[in-house]
Amino acid sequence: MKAFFLSSLVLATALAAAAPAGAQPAGAISPEQKGQIETIVHDYLLKNPEVLREAMVELDRRDKAKEAEAREKITLDQNGPLFTSPYQMEIGNPKGDVTLVEFFDYNCGYCKKALSDNIKLLDGDRNLRIILKEFPVLGPGSVEASRVAMAARTSMKPDQVLQFHTRLLGSRGPANKQKALEVAKEIGLDPAALAKQMDSTEVSTGIKQAMTLADQLGLTGTPSFVIGGEVVVGAVGFDELKEKIASVRKCGKATCS
């Protein structure tokens, strides 16, 4: 597709260059003139195919630069939905000096692995805030579990949030509506009320917002983290996350130059 547009651009440029001063607009050229110009463009591209490759590389670079700029705008907006959404759950210190955002799925095996890293980080850092973003991409069961969690967030006390999250994410077997409601009951919530609320418009809005954010950030899997303006994809481990937290405290960014 990019090659098609580039070829069209080359053709348009050739048309403009070939038109003599005071000539009719390009659309008024004769069929014979058009055929001659097409031949010139065709022969030029055959002799210089690297022009298209170079142009495509440049176009790709510009596209990636725009995407990076858009991501940076989201990740650095402390008042935006990435950090202040009414639909998110939080663990750790709500007034911590460093915020780590995690996009996760309750059926993600790597998220289960990252859970132990997060708990270890919280145990050793009383000034860390972790925001949990529902990103149910692994099937209907994941969506059900996320809906229950989203419905439960307004009923849970801070300590219950951590209990619910660790029990459901750390449980054996697939996470789904039944499993999530069982965990909710274990920590003292009303599963019948949650079963009704999980299909509410508010819950749908919360899930949609998180999915939109993930799309805007270019996330394709879980777990994915955002810290210090940087997107970190995958269960990178305790040491790397700890290092990035330390960097944010040192220079305000996940990676200090």
mmCIF file of all heavy atoms in Angstrom, residues 176-213:
data_model
loop_
_atom_site.group_PDB
_atom_site.id
_atom_site.type_symbol
_atom_site.label_atom_id
_atom_site.label_comp_id
_atom_site.label_asym_id
_atom_site.label_seq_id
_atom_site.Cartn_x
_atom_site.Cartn_y
_atom_site.Cartn_z
ATOM 1 N N ASN A 176 -12.778 -16.791 35.441
ATOM 2 C CA ASN A 176 -14.017 -16.468 34.745
ATOM 3 C C ASN A 176 -14.992 -15.870 35.751
ATOM 4 O O ASN A 176 -14.601 -15.533 36.880
ATOM 5 C CB ASN A 176 -14.612 -17.714 34.071
ATOM 6 C CG ASN A 176 -14.710 -18.898 35.031
ATOM 7 O OD1 ASN A 176 -14.868 -18.704 36.251
ATOM 8 N ND2 ASN A 176 -14.619 -20.107 34.504
ATOM 9 N N LYS A 177 -16.253 -15.758 35.376
ATOM 10 C CA LYS A 177 -17.252 -15.161 36.253
ATOM 11 C C LYS A 177 -17.380 -15.940 37.556
ATOM 12 O O LYS A 177 -17.356 -15.362 38.649
ATOM 13 C CB LYS A 177 -18.614 -15.118 35.543
ATOM 14 C CG LYS A 177 -19.762 -14.612 36.398
ATOM 15 C CD LYS A 177 -21.062 -14.643 35.615
ATOM 16 C CE LYS A 177 -22.241 -14.202 36.490
ATOM 17 N NZ LYS A 177 -23.517 -14.233 35.722
ATOM 18 N N GLN A 178 -17.508 -17.245 37.451
ATOM 19 C CA GLN A 178 -17.684 -18.070 38.642
ATOM 20 C C GLN A 178 -16.500 -17.945 39.589
ATOM 21 O O GLN A 178 -16.672 -17.754 40.792
ATOM 22 C CB GLN A 178 -17.873 -19.534 38.241
ATOM 23 C CG GLN A 178 -18.056 -20.480 39.431
ATOM 24 C CD GLN A 178 -18.222 -21.935 38.997
ATOM 25 O OE1 GLN A 178 -18.396 -22.220 37.807
ATOM 26 N NE2 GLN A 178 -18.159 -22.845 39.956
ATOM 27 N N LYS A 179 -15.301 -18.057 39.049
ATOM 28 C CA LYS A 179 -14.093 -17.973 39.895
ATOM 29 C C LYS A 179 -13.982 -16.599 40.549
ATOM 30 O O LYS A 179 -13.665 -16.496 41.732
ATOM 31 C CB LYS A 179 -12.862 -18.249 39.040
ATOM 32 C CG LYS A 179 -11.548 -18.134 39.791
ATOM 33 C CD LYS A 179 -11.340 -19.285 40.761
ATOM 34 C CE LYS A 179 -11.010 -20.559 40.005
ATOM 35 N NZ LYS A 179 -10.658 -21.677 40.912
ATOM 36 N N ALA A 180 -14.265 -15.540 39.798
ATOM 37 C CA ALA A 180 -14.154 -14.182 40.340
ATOM 38 C C ALA A 180 -15.183 -13.947 41.443
ATOM 39 O O ALA A 180 -14.884 -13.314 42.465
ATOM 40 C CB ALA A 180 -14.343 -13.159 39.220
ATOM 41 N N LEU A 181 -16.387 -14.462 41.263
ATOM 42 C CA LEU A 181 -17.419 -14.301 42.294
ATOM 43 C C LEU A 181 -17.079 -15.113 43.542
ATOM 44 O O LEU A 181 -17.371 -14.689 44.671
ATOM 45 C CB LEU A 181 -18.786 -14.722 41.741
ATOM 46 C CG LEU A 181 -19.382 -13.801 40.670
ATOM 47 C CD1 LEU A 181 -20.683 -14.376 40.123
ATOM 48 C CD2 LEU A 181 -19.622 -12.394 41.233
ATOM 49 N N GLU A 182 -16.456 -16.256 43.356
ATOM 50 C CA GLU A 182 -16.017 -17.065 44.500
ATOM 51 C C GLU A 182 -14.974 -16.308 45.322
ATOM 52 O O GLU A 182 -15.034 -16.282 46.557
ATOM 53 C CB GLU A 182 -15.438 -18.389 44.015
ATOM 54 C CG GLU A 182 -16.473 -19.368 43.481
ATOM 55 C CD GLU A 182 -15.834 -20.626 42.907
ATOM 56 O OE1 GLU A 182 -14.576 -20.711 42.898
ATOM 57 O OE2 GLU A 182 -16.584 -21.518 42.453
ATOM 58 N N VAL A 183 -14.033 -15.700 44.630
ATOM 59 C CA VAL A 183 -12.992 -14.925 45.322
ATOM 60 C C VAL A 183 -13.610 -13.725 46.026
ATOM 61 O O VAL A 183 -13.244 -13.402 47.162
ATOM 62 C CB VAL A 183 -11.909 -14.465 44.313
ATOM 63 C CG1 VAL A 183 -10.953 -13.474 44.978
ATOM 64 C CG2 VAL A 183 -11.146 -15.660 43.771
ATOM 65 N N ALA A 184 -14.560 -13.061 45.361
ATOM 66 C CA ALA A 184 -15.238 -11.915 45.979
ATOM 67 C C ALA A 184 -15.925 -12.328 47.269
ATOM 68 O O ALA A 184 -15.884 -11.611 48.284
ATOM 69 C CB ALA A 184 -16.242 -11.327 44.999
ATOM 70 N N LYS A 185 -16.572 -13.484 47.256
ATOM 71 C CA LYS A 185 -17.255 -13.982 48.458
ATOM 72 C C LYS A 185 -16.253 -14.289 49.564
ATOM 73 O O LYS A 185 -16.522 -14.010 50.745
ATOM 74 C CB LYS A 185 -18.059 -15.234 48.111
ATOM 75 C CG LYS A 185 -18.893 -15.767 49.273
ATOM 76 C CD LYS A 185 -19.732 -16.968 48.844
ATOM 77 C CE LYS A 185 -20.577 -17.481 50.013
ATOM 78 N NZ LYS A 185 -21.407 -18.647 49.603
ATOM 79 N N GLU A 186 -15.105 -14.834 49.191
ATOM 80 C CA GLU A 186 -14.066 -15.181 50.173
ATOM 81 C C GLU A 186 -13.584 -13.970 50.951
ATOM 82 O O GLU A 186 -13.222 -14.089 52.133
ATOM 83 C CB GLU A 186 -12.880 -15.843 49.460
ATOM 84 C CG GLU A 186 -13.155 -17.243 48.935
ATOM 85 C CD GLU A 186 -11.992 -17.774 48.115
ATOM 86 O OE1 GLU A 186 -10.947 -17.065 48.035
ATOM 87 O OE2 GLU A 186 -12.109 -18.870 47.541
ATOM 88 N N ILE A 187 -13.566 -12.797 50.303
ATOM 89 C CA ILE A 187 -13.055 -11.612 51.001
ATOM 90 C C ILE A 187 -14.174 -10.757 51.599
ATOM 91 O O ILE A 187 -13.944 -9.639 52.043
ATOM 92 C CB ILE A 187 -12.187 -10.748 50.060
ATOM 93 C CG1 ILE A 187 -13.027 -10.146 48.931
ATOM 94 C CG2 ILE A 187 -11.026 -11.571 49.510
ATOM 95 C CD1 ILE A 187 -12.255 -9.133 48.098
ATOM 96 N N GLY A 188 -15.397 -11.289 51.580
ATOM 97 C CA GLY A 188 -16.487 -10.605 52.272
ATOM 98 C C GLY A 188 -17.407 -9.758 51.432
ATOM 99 O O GLY A 188 -18.218 -9.001 51.968
ATOM 100 N N LEU A 189 -17.343 -9.881 50.102
ATOM 101 C CA LEU A 189 -18.237 -9.118 49.237
ATOM 102 C C LEU A 189 -19.488 -9.922 48.898
ATOM 103 O O LEU A 189 -19.528 -11.140 49.095
ATOM 104 C CB LEU A 189 -17.508 -8.720 47.954
ATOM 105 C CG LEU A 189 -16.232 -7.883 48.132
ATOM 106 C CD1 LEU A 189 -15.643 -7.554 46.761
ATOM 107 C CD2 LEU A 189 -16.505 -6.619 48.914
ATOM 108 N N ASP A 190 -20.488 -9.252 48.382
ATOM 109 C CA ASP A 190 -21.755 -9.880 48.041
ATOM 110 C C ASP A 190 -21.725 -10.332 46.574
ATOM 111 O O ASP A 190 -21.861 -9.502 45.659
ATOM 112 C CB ASP A 190 -22.896 -8.879 48.251
ATOM 113 C CG ASP A 190 -24.270 -9.478 47.971
ATOM 114 O OD1 ASP A 190 -24.333 -10.632 47.481
ATOM 115 O OD2 ASP A 190 -25.266 -8.794 48.226
ATOM 116 N N PRO A 191 -21.569 -11.636 46.311
ATOM 117 C CA PRO A 191 -21.463 -12.097 44.924
ATOM 118 C C PRO A 191 -22.735 -11.869 44.112
ATOM 119 O O PRO A 191 -22.663 -11.630 42.899
ATOM 120 C CB PRO A 191 -21.157 -13.594 45.080
ATOM 121 C CG PRO A 191 -21.647 -13.954 46.442
ATOM 122 C CD PRO A 191 -21.433 -12.737 47.277
ATOM 123 N N ALA A 192 -23.896 -11.945 44.751
ATOM 124 C CA ALA A 192 -25.152 -11.731 44.025
ATOM 125 C C ALA A 192 -25.237 -10.302 43.508
ATOM 126 O O ALA A 192 -25.651 -10.063 42.364
ATOM 127 C CB ALA A 192 -26.333 -12.039 44.939
ATOM 128 N N ALA A 193 -24.846 -9.345 44.344
ATOM 129 C CA ALA A 193 -24.870 -7.939 43.938
ATOM 130 C C ALA A 193 -23.873 -7.683 42.810
ATOM 131 O O ALA A 193 -24.165 -6.951 41.853
ATOM 132 C CB ALA A 193 -24.571 -7.035 45.126
ATOM 133 N N LEU A 194 -22.708 -8.306 42.899
ATOM 134 C CA LEU A 194 -21.681 -8.124 41.871
ATOM 135 C C LEU A 194 -22.108 -8.748 40.546
ATOM 136 O O LEU A 194 -21.803 -8.223 39.472
ATOM 137 C CB LEU A 194 -20.353 -8.726 42.327
ATOM 138 C CG LEU A 194 -19.686 -8.072 43.536
ATOM 139 C CD1 LEU A 194 -18.381 -8.793 43.858
ATOM 140 C CD2 LEU A 194 -19.424 -6.596 43.276
ATOM 141 N N ALA A 195 -22.821 -9.882 40.628
ATOM 142 C CA ALA A 195 -23.292 -10.553 39.417
ATOM 143 C C ALA A 195 -24.245 -9.651 38.631
ATOM 144 O O ALA A 195 -24.292 -9.696 37.397
ATOM 145 C CB ALA A 195 -23.980 -11.865 39.780
ATOM 146 N N LYS A 196 -25.005 -8.838 39.344
ATOM 147 C CA LYS A 196 -25.907 -7.896 38.677
ATOM 148 C C LYS A 196 -25.143 -6.678 38.153
ATOM 149 O O LYS A 196 -25.381 -6.213 37.038
ATOM 150 C CB LYS A 196 -26.989 -7.436 39.661
ATOM 151 C CG LYS A 196 -27.956 -8.529 40.083
ATOM 152 C CD LYS A 196 -28.994 -7.976 41.053
ATOM 153 C CE LYS A 196 -29.979 -9.043 41.504
ATOM 154 N NZ LYS A 196 -30.986 -8.515 42.448
ATOM 155 N N GLN A 197 -24.227 -6.184 38.964
ATOM 156 C CA GLN A 197 -23.529 -4.955 38.621
ATOM 157 C C GLN A 197 -22.510 -5.136 37.501
ATOM 158 O O GLN A 197 -22.181 -4.186 36.783
ATOM 159 C CB GLN A 197 -22.835 -4.392 39.862
ATOM 160 C CG GLN A 197 -22.258 -2.997 39.677
ATOM 161 C CD GLN A 197 -21.609 -2.468 40.952
ATOM 162 O OE1 GLN A 197 -21.716 -3.086 42.016
ATOM 163 N NE2 GLN A 197 -20.928 -1.340 40.847
ATOM 164 N N MET A 198 -22.005 -6.361 37.317
ATOM 165 C CA MET A 198 -20.933 -6.580 36.335
ATOM 166 C C MET A 198 -21.377 -6.293 34.900
ATOM 167 O O MET A 198 -20.537 -6.064 34.021
ATOM 168 C CB MET A 198 -20.400 -8.018 36.435
ATOM 169 C CG MET A 198 -21.415 -9.088 36.073
ATOM 170 S SD MET A 198 -20.743 -10.777 36.186
ATOM 171 C CE MET A 198 -19.660 -10.825 34.759
ATOM 172 N N ASP A 199 -22.667 -6.297 34.642
ATOM 173 C CA ASP A 199 -23.168 -6.015 33.302
ATOM 174 C C ASP A 199 -23.674 -4.586 33.152
ATOM 175 O O ASP A 199 -24.352 -4.262 32.168
ATOM 176 C CB ASP A 199 -24.297 -6.998 32.954
ATOM 177 C CG ASP A 199 -23.799 -8.429 32.822
ATOM 178 O OD1 ASP A 199 -22.697 -8.612 32.283
ATOM 179 O OD2 ASP A 199 -24.503 -9.359 33.264
ATOM 180 N N SER A 200 -23.346 -3.740 34.113
ATOM 181 C CA SER A 200 -23.812 -2.360 34.083
ATOM 182 C C SER A 200 -23.077 -1.538 33.031
ATOM 183 O O SER A 200 -21.991 -1.896 32.561
ATOM 184 C CB SER A 200 -23.624 -1.699 35.450
ATOM 185 O OG SER A 200 -22.244 -1.546 35.739
ATOM 186 N N THR A 201 -23.688 -0.417 32.679
ATOM 187 C CA THR A 201 -23.075 0.504 31.716
ATOM 188 C C THR A 201 -21.759 1.050 32.260
ATOM 189 O O THR A 201 -20.789 1.233 31.508
ATOM 190 C CB THR A 201 -24.027 1.671 31.414
ATOM 191 O OG1 THR A 201 -25.246 1.161 30.880
ATOM 192 C CG2 THR A 201 -23.404 2.647 30.430
ATOM 193 N N GLU A 202 -21.709 1.301 33.549
ATOM 194 C CA GLU A 202 -20.495 1.843 34.165
ATOM 195 C C GLU A 202 -19.324 0.883 34.000
ATOM 196 O O GLU A 202 -18.203 1.291 33.660
ATOM 197 C CB GLU A 202 -20.741 2.123 35.645
ATOM 198 C CG GLU A 202 -19.531 2.742 36.334
ATOM 199 C CD GLU A 202 -19.752 2.963 37.825
ATOM 200 O OE1 GLU A 202 -20.682 2.360 38.375
ATOM 201 O OE2 GLU A 202 -18.979 3.732 38.423
ATOM 202 N N VAL A 203 -19.574 -0.396 34.241
ATOM 203 C CA VAL A 203 -18.513 -1.390 34.094
ATOM 204 C C VAL A 203 -18.069 -1.468 32.635
ATOM 205 O O VAL A 203 -16.865 -1.523 32.340
ATOM 206 C CB VAL A 203 -18.992 -2.770 34.592
ATOM 207 C CG1 VAL A 203 -18.017 -3.867 34.156
ATOM 208 C CG2 VAL A 203 -19.118 -2.773 36.115
ATOM 209 N N SER A 204 -19.007 -1.451 31.710
ATOM 210 C CA SER A 204 -18.665 -1.487 30.280
ATOM 211 C C SER A 204 -17.817 -0.282 29.897
ATOM 212 O O SER A 204 -16.853 -0.402 29.126
ATOM 213 C CB SER A 204 -19.942 -1.512 29.437
ATOM 214 O OG SER A 204 -20.685 -2.696 29.667
ATOM 215 N N THR A 205 -18.157 0.881 30.444
ATOM 216 C CA THR A 205 -17.398 2.097 30.167
ATOM 217 C C THR A 205 -15.976 1.976 30.684
ATOM 218 O O THR A 205 -15.015 2.386 30.007
ATOM 219 C CB THR A 205 -18.078 3.313 30.816
ATOM 220 O OG1 THR A 205 -19.395 3.465 30.274
ATOM 221 C CG2 THR A 205 -17.283 4.589 30.556
ATOM 222 N N GLY A 206 -15.830 1.413 31.884
ATOM 223 C CA GLY A 206 -14.500 1.253 32.465
ATOM 224 C C GLY A 206 -13.619 0.320 31.658
ATOM 225 O O GLY A 206 -12.442 0.602 31.410
ATOM 226 N N ILE A 207 -14.186 -0.815 31.236
ATOM 227 C CA ILE A 207 -13.433 -1.766 30.417
ATOM 228 C C ILE A 207 -13.044 -1.129 29.091
ATOM 229 O O ILE A 207 -11.899 -1.249 28.628
ATOM 230 C CB ILE A 207 -14.266 -3.035 30.151
ATOM 231 C CG1 ILE A 207 -14.582 -3.781 31.461
ATOM 232 C CG2 ILE A 207 -13.543 -3.949 29.179
ATOM 233 C CD1 ILE A 207 -13.405 -4.451 32.105
ATOM 234 N N LYS A 208 -13.982 -0.425 28.480
ATOM 235 C CA LYS A 208 -13.716 0.219 27.190
ATOM 236 C C LYS A 208 -12.614 1.265 27.319
ATOM 237 O O LYS A 208 -11.743 1.368 26.436
ATOM 238 C CB LYS A 208 -14.990 0.875 26.665
ATOM 239 C CG LYS A 208 -14.830 1.534 25.305
ATOM 240 C CD LYS A 208 -16.132 2.139 24.806
ATOM 241 C CE LYS A 208 -15.950 2.805 23.454
ATOM 242 N NZ LYS A 208 -17.223 3.407 22.955
ATOM 243 N N GLN A 209 -12.629 2.014 28.400
ATOM 244 C CA GLN A 209 -11.600 3.040 28.576
ATOM 245 C C GLN A 209 -10.216 2.417 28.667
ATOM 246 O O GLN A 209 -9.257 2.894 28.055
ATOM 247 C CB GLN A 209 -11.871 3.857 29.842
ATOM 248 C CG GLN A 209 -10.895 5.000 30.033
ATOM 249 C CD GLN A 209 -10.993 5.637 31.402
ATOM 250 O OE1 GLN A 209 -10.541 5.091 32.399
ATOM 251 N NE2 GLN A 209 -11.607 6.822 31.453
ATOM 252 N N ALA A 210 -10.095 1.339 29.446
ATOM 253 C CA ALA A 210 -8.802 0.675 29.590
ATOM 254 C C ALA A 210 -8.329 0.088 28.264
ATOM 255 O O ALA A 210 -7.147 0.183 27.919
ATOM 256 C CB ALA A 210 -8.888 -0.420 30.654
ATOM 257 N N MET A 211 -9.254 -0.508 27.508
ATOM 258 C CA MET A 211 -8.892 -1.087 26.215
ATOM 259 C C MET A 211 -8.455 0.005 25.233
ATOM 260 O O MET A 211 -7.522 -0.193 24.447
ATOM 261 C CB MET A 211 -10.079 -1.866 25.650
ATOM 262 C CG MET A 211 -10.547 -3.026 26.513
ATOM 263 S SD MET A 211 -9.346 -4.370 26.645
ATOM 264 C CE MET A 211 -9.560 -5.178 25.059
ATOM 265 N N THR A 212 -9.127 1.155 25.286
ATOM 266 C CA THR A 212 -8.764 2.275 24.416
ATOM 267 C C THR A 212 -7.371 2.785 24.754
ATOM 268 O O THR A 212 -6.563 3.067 23.854
ATOM 269 C CB THR A 212 -9.789 3.415 24.549
ATOM 270 O OG1 THR A 212 -11.079 2.947 24.139
ATOM 271 C CG2 THR A 212 -9.400 4.610 23.684
ATOM 272 N N LEU A 213 -7.091 2.917 26.036
ATOM 273 C CA LEU A 213 -5.756 3.355 26.459
ATOM 274 C C LEU A 213 -4.689 2.380 25.964
ATOM 275 O O LEU A 213 -3.635 2.792 25.473
ATOM 276 C CB LEU A 213 -5.699 3.453 27.988
ATOM 277 C CG LEU A 213 -6.259 4.714 28.624
ATOM 278 C CD1 LEU A 213 -6.319 4.547 30.142
ATOM 279 C CD2 LEU A 213 -5.428 5.935 28.265
#
